Amino acid sequence: MTTRNSIAIAALAATLAMPAAARPADPAACGVGDLSGVVVLDCTGYVAGNLLSNSPAAVAAAAAALADLGLAASDGSWIEKQDFASGSTIGFATPLYGTSYVGLHKGGAGDGGPGTAIYRIDAGQAGVTMLEFELPGLSSAALYATGPAPVPVPEPAVATLLLAGLGVIVRSARRRRRS
């Protein structure tokens, strides 16, 4: 065994012997700065493996992670998925509104190894379709849930025209009944 391996094993043993509260933070943990274009409210991961693969084990693990983030009604299936060979821009065809849930899998590039994180984000009411992943190694992204599109409120002039039109119809109906 080389000196380098001995040092690595000793460091690992020392870390594992520490109480959980004293252990250093996982350098591959997800964070609020991982995505831009939306507000990251919370995240869980990075966990080993690809939770976006749609295998039964991955779907069950994704459902548990989504429940931890507050989406208890999900069965872990995604609505839309994208795979990436390179790049960091995520463009979903489904617009994101309000509280949305997105899973990201990264390969072994950059800090940490491969793994999956799931994010609870606030996409606002404008309908976000593009997100930017701020870490290297994006492999795939999946959309699990998004809020409903906002219902447009008619302008006051439109509401006035609608009421005026309704008044004309009522008046015509009354005249016909009298005749």
Side-chain angles (χ1 to χ4, degrees):
M1 183 180 300
T2 66
T3 305
R4 184 182 220 176
N5 288 344
S6 298
I7 292 171
I9 291 171
L12 178 62
T15 301
L16 293 175
M18 288 184 206
R23 289 185 190 155
D26 180 2
C30 64
V32 296
D34 295 355
L35 291 170
S36 59
V38 293
V39 176
V40 176
L41 301 171
D42 198 4
C43 64
T44 184
Y46 281 85
V47 297
N50 187 351
L51 300 188
L52 311 183
S53 71
N54 221 20
S55 72
V59 169
L66 289 162
D68 286 345
L69 291 174
L71 186 64
S74 175
D75 65 357
S77 298
W78 34 260
I79 298 169
E80 181 181 339
K81 182 182 176 209
Q82 295 181 354
D83 293 316
F84 300 90
S86 64
S88 59
T89 301
I90 304 161
F92 288 116
T94 305
L96 309 181
Y97 296 100
T99 302
S100 301
Y101 296 83
V102 176
L104 301 176
H105 177 73
K106 64 179 188 166
D111 296 334
T116 305
I118 298 181
Y119 297 83
R120 180 169 52 99
I121 61 174
D122 181 1
Q125 298 304 309
V128 173
T129 56
M130 302 292 276
L131 310 172
E132 193 70 31
F133 187 53
E134 300 295 337
L135 301 174
L138 180 62
S139 176
S140 55
L143 173 61
Y144 287 99
T146 188
V151 177
V153 177
E155 294 290 328
V158 173
T160 303
L161 284 172
L162 288 171
L163 289 174
L166 183 61
V168 169
I169 292 170
V170 169
R171 190 172 180 188
S172 300
R174 284 186 181 170
R175 283 186 177 175
R176 285 187 183 163
R177 212 182 312 168
R178 287 184 192 159
S179 329

